[in-house]
Every structure is written in C-alpha cells, then in structure tokens.
Amino acid sequence: MTHTTTAARRDHRETNRLMGMMTGDEKHGPAATSTLDVLWVLYDRVLRVAPDTVDAPDRDRFLLSKGHGPMAYYAVLAAHGFFGEELLPGFGTYDSPLGHHPDRTLLPGVEIGSGSLGHGLPLAVGSVLGLRAQGLTDPRVWVLIGDAELDEGSNHEALAYAGPAGLEQLHTVVIDNVSASYARPGGIAARFEAAGWSVDTVDGRDHEALYTAFTAPHPGRPRAVVARVEPKN
C-alpha cells in the first residue's frame, strides 16, 4: 500500500480556507491550529491510508487522542478526500457528523472516538498488539497526543510498557505547547527515552523536520516525536 502522496498533492495552505468554513461556538481554535502542520505532513507524506483503503487490513492506523478542537483534523481529512468539504460548515451542529470530538462511527478514516485525555496511547498499544496477534506486522499505528495528556497515569503505563515490549509499529507524536501541569527533568523526550523509545524533538511547524523525524528508522523500538509548537496569545 502506498501513502496518500500523489503528483496532484494539494497545497497545505488550502487548510486555511477549509478551517475557515467551520464556524460556531466551542471551536477550540488554538488546540486545532497547534496540530495542523503535524496532521498535514502525516496525511500528505507519511500515512499509508487513503479514502479507498480505510478498511484495508494492511492500512496504517492514525488515532487522534488530542481530540478537542478537531477542526484541523477535519480540514486535513477533507483536503485528502476522506469526505466532502460541503460538510464543514455544519461543524458542531446537532445533525452534523463533524462533532466537537471525532466519532469513528460517523466519518470514514476516523479510527477512534476520542473523549477524556489519556485514552489514545493505551488504545494505540492495544492496536499494535492486536495487529501482531493477527500476523499483521507491516501496518504502522500512529497516535497524536497533547503534552497535558502526559499528566494522565494511563499514558505513563502505556509508555512504560511499549518500550520494553519493543513495539516497533507504534509511533507517538506529542504536541508540546507548554500546557502540561508537571515539569519533567530533561523534558518530555527524556520520559520516552527512559522507557526505551526512539525519540526526536522538532519544530512542530517545520514540515521537512517533521517528515525527517517521522520517517527515521527505529528498529526494535517504538518511536516518539515531540513537536514543539509555540503557544499563540
């Protein structure tokens, strides 16, 4: 299976127009824009999943744990043809499939329904174990979490398990916009390194740096990329 990159790749600036189509209350704009560049690089250049392969057993899985403020996620999915952009103006309305948290039963390509912080990484670990049990060792599982989610014990348990278990198929992207409550010696990357992960910290707006970090080899170890995004006032 190939990823979604094609000769007709859409310009990432198109997401500004698509995000502008989503109006209404509770948009959580800063939460959305902090993830935009990471999501674009993943879907445009890395993930091996497309609108016609959302149910293929050998597809890559992307799990959005940082599910509040999903406008960027919806914009990137629409830009890559997972659903029509005509749905965007209805964002957050009663009968819209575009809720304030993505719903895996309503939108093609959405792997999990996100809710409370701390769900995504444990689900990603379980997804890798499930794939292994089926003999599927090629699909990669990606999960995007926020730095504040690392305040949740469920994530630390998953993090501590994945390294020693050698879950090479597992990839975690942490959006670091300095919203976590607890400081860690050495920063977020040090926590993953201590558990045996392969880790890089990059500028979360730099597409080439993100792509390089996302595609770096990490044999025998899960991969974590800490994407630093300066908070905007």
Side-chain angles (χ1 to χ4, degrees):
M1 180 187 294
T2 58
H3 54 68
T4 56
T5 301
T6 67
R9 181 190 296 166
R10 298 186 72 164
D11 191 320
H12 74 275
R13 290 170 294 185
E14 177 73 355
T15 55
N16 293 326
R17 179 183 68 83
L18 296 173
M19 288 180 67
M21 295 173 66
M22 289 176 271
T23 59
D25 296 330
E26 299 184 27
K27 293 195 297 183
H28 292 287
T33 55
S34 69
T35 67
L36 181 57
D37 296 279
V38 164
L39 288 167
W40 184 267
V41 174
L42 283 173
Y43 274 92
D44 205 52
R45 303 175 64 179
V46 178
L47 291 174
R48 296 173 298 183
V49 64
D52 59 347
T53 61
V54 293
D55 295 318
D58 62 341
R59 74 189 184 280
D60 285 349
R61 277 76 167 165
F62 174 77
L63 283 57
L64 182 68
S65 186
K66 184 178 168 63
H68 59 287
M71 291 193 304
Y73 186 43
Y74 294 151
V76 170
L77 288 177
H80 289 87
F82 285 84
F83 61 84
E85 64 180 60
E86 67 275 2
L87 294 178
L88 297 175
F91 165 70
T93 57
Y94 177 75
D95 58 351
S96 171
L98 307 182
H100 291 133
H101 284 258
D103 188 327
R104 69 179 184 84
T105 68
L106 299 179
L107 284 177
V110 175
E111 297 281 356
I112 63 170
S114 61
S116 299
L117 297 178
H119 285 177
L121 186 52
L123 287 172
V125 168
S127 296
V128 172
L129 294 176
L131 290 169
R132 282 188 170 187
Q134 299 173 72
L136 296 171
T137 57
D138 188 49
R140 301 167 299 186
V141 176
W142 290 80
V143 58
L144 190 154
I145 70 176
D147 55 351
E149 291 192 76
L150 292 174
D151 293 348
E152 302 293 334
S154 55
N155 272 337
H156 285 280
E157 292 176 1
L159 191 161
Y161 172 83
L167 300 188
E168 184 177 342
Q169 290 169 265
L170 177 62
H171 303 74
T172 300
V173 185
V174 184
I175 301 295
D176 181 8
N177 57 6
V178 199
S179 63
S181 300
Y182 303 106
R184 294 170 184 83
I188 292 172
R191 177 66 184 89
F192 284 89
E193 289 171 348
W197 290 57
S198 166
V199 191
D200 265 333
T201 299
V202 298
D203 181 346
R205 301 294 190 194
D206 185 330
H207 288 203
E208 291 307 316
L210 288 168
Y211 177 74
T212 298
F214 292 162
T215 56
H218 50 97
R221 295 193 291 168
R223 177 71 168 164
V225 176
V226 181
R228 288 181 172 167
V229 179
E230 290 294 327
K232 295 181 179 180
N233 296 324

